[in-house]
Amino acid sequence: MGEVIVITSGKGGVGKTTTTANVGTALSLLDKKVLLIDTDIGLRNLDVVLGLENRIVYDIVDVVEGTCRPNQAMIKDKRFENLYLIPAAQTRDKTSVNPEQMKILCEELKKEFDYIIMDCPAGIEQGFKNAIAGAQRAIVVTTPEVSAVRDADRIIGLLEANDVHNVRLIVNRLRVDMVKKGDMMNVDDILDILAVGLLGVVPDDEGIITSTNRGEPAVTDAKSLAGRAYRNIADRITGKEVPVMDLEKESGFINAVKNLFKKK
Amino acid sequence: MKKEYVVLKGARDGVHVILSDEMPVRLLMDELKEKFEQGRSFFSQGSCHITFMGKAFTPSEKLKLETEVAKTLSSCDVTVGYESDTVSDEPVVYTNLNEGYTKFHNGTLRSGQLLESEGNLVVLGHINPGAEVVAAGNIIVMGAAKGILHAGCTGNREAFIIALNMSPTQIRIADIITRPPDNDVRSEILPEKAYIKNETIYIEDYLTKI
């Protein structure tokens, strides 16, 4: 029996979709059977980030309305054996699906997969309610900004009110140099405010932009620091104990190497 | 509660028997028989027309249903018909490709927009990625076609698509779906035509073929 995990944030643009793509891919590389469901109906992105846009025939609305079977809507990722995607509909809106239908769908699909990861839309309206309906676990993504943390706090409250109690936090796009100078909130500040368990910290990484544009998740890049952070997060989801990377040391080392080359 | 796959309904033109399309007809025969048994006193009151509906029936299914009616309601004055005889659920294949209804759309279609036409379709603008155009007939795009294009959507495999810049996410003609190769690099952009040949969608340079 699998587990349904919703990835949410409240605020837009903090990296929910990128996190879903990378964590999902990393889990599938750990030999888990993973299904990603894009619940952002009308503004779908997950298919683009995974590079699967041109394979879409059926979507989540077709599944819910009974136009096709769930298996027909699943896009199998050629590159990763165990990774499947059910895309969102683009020409419909969030009201095409209701939480009750999502719950039934999740119950059914749980039998087939180890992990079902829901990519939640920004906001707290119908789309959010659909995404969390069938979830047992939630991963809240935030960036080290006051506005994102404020929204994350609101989301954690809403998740608890909807009986999702297993909530963990990912701090995304952390910049060690700014934290050091005191220009950016550090992870401990955020944890003090939100008071939830930390699932991982992902450093700000330009490589993420190129990898999402190319449709290739960063976890496949052995050199990417962010990719490594996502792999660690996937390990922690499966229950393995992995220490949080010392970003200061890592990025310090990388910068040192870079500087070395620059001098030449 | 047990799910009912056979539902009887009184209507102005007689009795409608709605069969669920989730189950093959042969598995519904027992339930149908039971329903007829229950209503025998009703059916024997006078003449009655029974219309089977809920799905499209094959000739062998029709025969099965008619035999069942003749057997169970042998003493009653009933006639049998099918909904699909009068109004078909299946959309009729659109064949009017050369003349007939054509919709013109002025302007660019953006992500999330869906444009449909019961006949042919001409788009005077671009079709951006994430937008979808669906036509029963041909599609002509006077611009860049980057979204999903579906011509001959009711099943006409003769339908074609022409675009000044053919870079779609996906092309569908009738029931055939294709997508461009993953590393599609072209040196120059020319008008192209997509059509079906040997069950496959071909895309070729349009200008040199006329």
Side-chain angles (χ1 to χ4, degrees), chain A residues 201 203 225-226 228-230 232 236 243-248 250:
Chain A
V201 180
L225 203 57
R228 224 168 81 203
Y230 281 125
N232 287 345
R236 287 182 204 118
V244 175
M245 271 195 299
D246 187 349
L247 289 175
E248 200 172 313
E250 296 282 351

Side-chain angles (χ1 to χ4, degrees), chain B residues 38-59:
Chain B
Q38 287 165 7
R40 188 195 288 278
S41 60
F42 168 81
F43 285 110
S44 53
Q45 277 169 18
S47 69
C48 177
H49 184 73
I50 295 174
T51 313
F52 286 102
M53 47 178 57
K55 62 194 285 179
F57 299 97
T58 63

